[in-house]
Amino acid sequence: MAGDAMTRAGGAGAPARPRGRAEAGLSIVVPLFNEANNLATLHARVLEVARTLKAQRGLATEAVYVDDGSRDATLAAARELPAESLDIQVISLSRNFGKEAALLAGLDHSRLGAVLFMDGDGQHPPALVEKLVGYWLDDGYDVVYTAKAHRASEPWLRRLGVKTFYALINWGARQKIPEDAGDFRLLSPRAAAALKQLPERNRFFKGLASWIGFRQIRVDYEPAERIHGRTTWNLYSLIGLSIEGLTSFSVAPLRLASLLGLLLAAAAFIFGVQILLETFVFGESVPGYPSVIVGLMVLGGVQLIMIGIMGEYIGKILSELKARPVYFVAEHTLKTAENADAIGGPPARSAAE
Ligand code: UDP
Ligand code: MG
C-alpha cells in the first residue's frame, strides 16, 4: 500500500504530462474554523498554485476543505468555490472538533497520493507550496515540514514555554520532534499512507509526522499575517495542546515524577543524617515544628502534582479505550474540475478502521 501511486485522469487542457512521482497527485488539506472572510482569497491563491503545478509538472491537485463546525458562513462560502483546474472536496464536520481532528478528516478523505496541510487563514503562503513540492518531486523527500524562521517577535515567556515543551517531549526520545515545526507540511504518498495507518485517536500531527520517519527535510519560512480575524488559540488552549502533545508522545512527565521522588528522598536522607548528628554528636535538641510542616507541604504538593499527571495519562487511556470516532461528517461534497456537480456524503468514518 505504502508508496503506491494512485493514478488519476488529468484535468482540463493538455499541460505537462505527469512524470514519475507526480503521477500520484496532491491533495491540499485546509482546516477551516470561522474563516468565511478568508476563504475566497485563500482559494484564489490555491487555484493559482494548482495551475502552476499542473502546467509545470503535470501534477493533478485537489483541495480538501474541512469545515470544523464553523459558526459563520464558512460552509456556504466553501460550497460556492469554483472548481477550476482542481477538484474540490468540502467536508463539513458535525461540530467543532478542533484542528487536529479536522486535519485527520482531511487526511482520511484525501483521494490523491501526496498530502499537503495548510491553514485556512492565509498564514501559510501558498507560494511556498511550489518549493515544498519541489523537495518531494525532485529530491525525493517524504516529509517536507516548515518551521517559523524565528520567534523574535513573540514574548519571551511564550518562547520559554515553547523551549520547555520541546525539551520535555524530546527527552530521551529516539525520533526528536523538531522545534518550531508548524502544521504546514507536505507528505509523500508513502508518508501519507503511513500516517493514515496510525491507529490512535488522540492526534498530535506534528509529532506523528516526525515519528513515522522516512526522509524528512525542514524549510524555514516567515508566516504571513492572517488575512482576516484573530487566531483561535489562546494561552489556555495552547497549554491544552501542549499537555495533549506531551502525554500522547512521551512519558517524560512520569519520569519527572520518579526523578523528583528520588531528589526528595535524597534530600530527606541528608536532612535525617544532619538531625542524627546534631542530636547524638553535638547534643543539641533539634526544633522540629517548622521543618515538619515544610516537609509535609513539599511532599503533599509533589504528590498531588504527580497524581494529576498520572490522571492525564489515565484519561488518555480511557479515551483510546472508548474508541470513539474522532469526528463525524455532516456533509460531504465533491466538485470535479471537469463537471462541477455535487454528490451526497458518505457516512462518518472513524479514525481507525
Ligand atoms: N482551526 C480549526 N479548528 C479549530 C481551530 C482552528 O480547523 O478548532 C483551523 C483554522 O481555521 C486555521 C488553522 O486551524 O485554518 C489554524 O488556526 P489559527 O490561525 O487560529 O491558529 P494559529 O495560526 O494561530 O496557530
Ligand atoms: Mg493562523
Side-chain angles (χ1 to χ4, degrees), residues 35 99 119 121-124 226 231-233:
E35 306 281 7
K99 182 178 177 184
D119 277 4
D121 57 7
Q123 288 196 290
H124 295 163
R226 273 179 146 268
T231 174
T232 45
W233 296 103

Side-chain angles (χ1 to χ4, degrees), residues 219-234:
V219 175
D220 283 312
Y221 82 108
E222 201 68 56
E225 289 292 315
R226 273 179 146 268
I227 306 175
H228 277 289
R230 317 210 339 247
T231 174
T232 45
W233 296 103
N234 50 36

